Amino acid sequence: MNTLLAFAFLFALGSISGWIIEVFFRHWFSSSNPQHKWVNPGFCIGPYLPIYGFGLCALFILSYISEQYNMFSNWKSVILWFGLMTLVMTLIEYIAGLISLKVMHVKLWDYSDMWGNIQGIICPLFSLFWAILGAIYLFFIHPYITKALFWLKGNLAFSFFIGLFFGVFLIDVIYSSHLISIVKKFADENQVVVRLEKLKSDVIRFKEIRQEKAKFFFPLSSAHKSLSEYLNEVKDNVSELIHKN
């Protein structure tokens, strides 16, 4: 099977699975969502998070290497593998967070209140979560991923749906980039960094207060209006919306 097709499948599967994980995590555990609203996580509108897509590709490569070189022959190799896996996943998270922070002036997530955090982008606690997630993948999920790739090799017609996914994903990225550019303009004008998760949850909350329909997939469809109205509503406590560097 074509290697590019295999990784395209892994990216799509990881992006969708990660989105599901984040929806439930942010609903129940996120400090930026104290009202426990159902918030569509991430940069894009659709049900996918690219960081998890890259993460699954990385985990697959590391797991494949471990199998080829029998890296679990002794405890030192096991520690080395999990250390490398945690480092790679944390690096992916850091690069994604740094790009959103420096280029778009938007924080897709914020660990500023966590011990040992770096720029609010990564922290030891969530690196530990990456390690746990990696262990779950290696011991419980990787064999099924391998089987799925073998199945795909014999059912190449399914590649149509992978292509469809990337077609929709590309359109989404273009449209979402337009919305984020509005948020970035607002951030530049006010010299702030916008906490996107907090913005989404609070826009939904204020729309509910006004008895307006809150959109799960398009909470920022009128981004400029949402930002302006929200600032007017919370002008006495704007720190609920923004987080200064």
Side-chain angles (χ1 to χ4, degrees):
M1 181 176 58
N2 185 286
T3 302
L4 182 62
L5 177 61
F7 280 107
F9 170 74
L10 291 174
F11 179 85
L13 181 62
S15 298
I16 295 172
S17 301
W19 180 87
I20 295 173
I21 293 172
E22 287 286 339
V23 165
F24 285 96
F25 177 84
R26 298 193 184 204
H27 177 74
W28 295 110
F29 303 107
S30 176
S31 60
S32 297
N33 184 19
Q35 293 81 28
H36 300 295
K37 303 294 183 183
W38 290 104
V39 178
N40 184 13
F43 163 75
C44 295
I45 291 170
Y48 29 72
L49 287 175
I51 186 174
Y52 280 89
F54 289 115
L56 181 58
C57 290
L59 287 176
F60 177 81
I61 293 173
L62 291 173
S63 299
Y64 178 80
I65 292 174
S66 70
E67 291 176 340
Q68 294 299 309
Y69 292 94
N70 193 25
M71 292 185 65
F72 294 101
S73 57
N74 57 72
W75 64 270
K76 291 182 179 180
S77 297
V78 173
I79 293 176
L80 176 63
W81 189 92
F82 279 106
L84 179 61
M85 176 198 64
T86 304
L87 178 63
V88 169
M89 296 299 292
T90 301
L91 183 61
I92 291 174
E93 183 179 34
Y94 182 73
I95 292 173
L98 191 64
I99 291 174
S100 69
L101 178 62
K102 297 300 183 182
V103 176
M104 300 183 295
H105 294 177
V106 170
K107 278 192 173 182
L108 301 179
W109 58 87
D110 189 6
Y111 302 151
S112 297
D113 58 344
M114 297 288 185
W115 175 83
N117 77 87
I118 299 177
Q119 296 175 271
I121 300 174
I122 57 175
C123 69
L125 178 61
F126 278 86
S127 291
L128 176 62
F129 288 163
W130 283 124
I132 295 172
L133 186 62
I136 292 173
Y137 169 81
L138 177 66
F139 295 116
F140 300 103
I141 301 176
H142 181 68
Y144 294 100
I145 293 294
T146 303
K147 290 179 181 179
L149 289 175
F150 275 111
W151 177 87
L152 182 62
K153 183 178 180 180
N155 296 271
L156 291 179
F158 187 78
S159 61
F160 167 79
F161 295 100
I162 300 176
L164 182 63
F165 168 86
F166 278 95
V168 174
F169 176 71
L170 180 60
I171 295 173
D172 191 333
V173 168
I174 294 172
Y175 180 72
S176 298
S177 297
H178 168 67
L179 294 181
I180 292 297
S181 69
I182 297 174
V183 178
K184 181 181 183 298
K185 182 180 179 181
F186 167 85
D188 291 340
E189 290 174 349
N190 293 274
Q191 298 183 333
V192 296
V193 173
V194 175
R195 299 170 63 188
L196 191 62
E197 181 183 356
K198 186 70 166 60
L199 172 63
K200 286 182 177 181
S201 63
D202 285 334
V203 165
I204 291 174
R205 178 168 59 90
F206 273 83
K207 283 187 176 182
E208 290 177 349
I209 291 173
R210 299 190 190 98
Q211 297 183 337
E212 298 176 5
K213 185 177 180 180
K215 299 178 181 179
F216 179 77
F217 284 107
F218 293 88
L220 300 181
S221 56
S222 55
H224 188 272
K225 180 181 178 182
S226 297
L227 287 164
S228 299
E229 287 184 350
Y230 183 82
L231 277 179
N232 289 332
E233 291 280 358
V234 295
K235 59 185 178 181
D236 295 328
N237 190 18
V238 293
S239 61
E240 289 184 2
L241 169 66
I242 56 181
H243 178 75
K244 293 187 177 181
N245 277 329

